[in-house]
Amino acid sequence: MKKQFAIAALTIGAFVLGTNTIEAQNTTATTTVNITLNDVISIDAGSTAIGNTVDFNYATAADYNSDQTITKANSLKVTSTKNFNVKVKAGGANFMNGTNLIPVNVLTIKASAAAGTMGGTKNAVVLSAADQTLVTNAPLGSALTLNLDYTIPAAKSSSSDILGKPAGTYTQTVTYTATAL
């Protein structure tokens, strides 16, 4: 009996001591979250200026005697973490068809009437082989679009710049560059 009493006393004692020594458990946790930013400027995929063509077709007398404009929606989609400029230039001084040449200054590039979501000051640019500013101080943003009009005015298409040239397709590249300010 003494043995049973001793076991019972020890059991009750362990139980009482065990419940009195309950330690507090953690109810909160903290962690550190870091956000690392880098400056970014990009002409994004989806820009129709990437790998696309602008085709002017002079098939009739009326074509040579009138302005021709081709509008390209989403010509440029730019993402930039800072305000930026957009410049444009031709890959050379002339559109070329073998040894036959048409000067690149027959082409004017400018923002369309519905210019897109890109802000800034937009300029009409007569194409040349030198960088020229198409958009000045565009505000930062993500996937900002610029719709462009490519125009060959009648004054150029009805001049010796184009008239009298051999039939065929004359080609030149146009390069756009977005630069953070």
Side-chain angles (χ1 to χ4, degrees), residues 10-164:
L10 284 173
T11 303
I12 291 172
F15 180 72
V16 168
L17 288 174
T19 58
N20 284 339
T21 59
I22 294 177
E23 293 183 22
Q25 297 177 0
N26 287 336
T27 59
T28 62
T30 59
T31 191
T32 300
V33 176
N34 296 318
I35 299 174
T36 303
L37 300 176
N38 291 296
D39 289 334
V40 170
I41 188 159
S42 170
I43 296 177
D44 301 337
S47 297
T48 58
I50 297 174
N52 205 337
T53 60
V54 177
D55 296 315
F56 288 92
N57 188 15
Y58 289 88
T60 68
D63 294 336
Y64 286 94
N65 292 310
S66 60
D67 292 351
Q68 283 201 32
T69 298
I70 296 174
T71 300
K72 291 288 187 174
N74 298 320
S75 292
L76 297 173
K77 283 176 68 177
V78 176
T79 295
S80 181
T81 56
K82 298 191 178 294
N83 289 9
F84 61 96
N85 290 340
V86 176
K87 294 187 176 186
V88 60
K89 69 177 180 178
N94 297 292
F95 291 95
M96 297 181 293
N97 177 3
T99 59
N100 302 306
L101 307 174
I102 295 174
V104 294
N105 70 0
V106 300
L107 180 64
T108 300
I109 301 172
K110 67 176 185 167
S112 299
T117 60
M118 187 182 297
T121 303
K122 288 141 182 110
N123 306 297
V125 171
V126 175
L127 191 60
S128 77
D131 269 329
Q132 297 182 77
T133 304
L134 184 64
V135 180
T136 304
N137 199 27
L140 60 92
S142 179
L144 302 170
T145 59
L146 180 63
N147 305 322
L148 292 176
D149 285 344
Y150 296 81
T151 301
I152 297 177
K156 293 291 187 174
S157 61
S158 63
S159 76
S160 62
D161 287 338
I162 292 179
L163 287 177

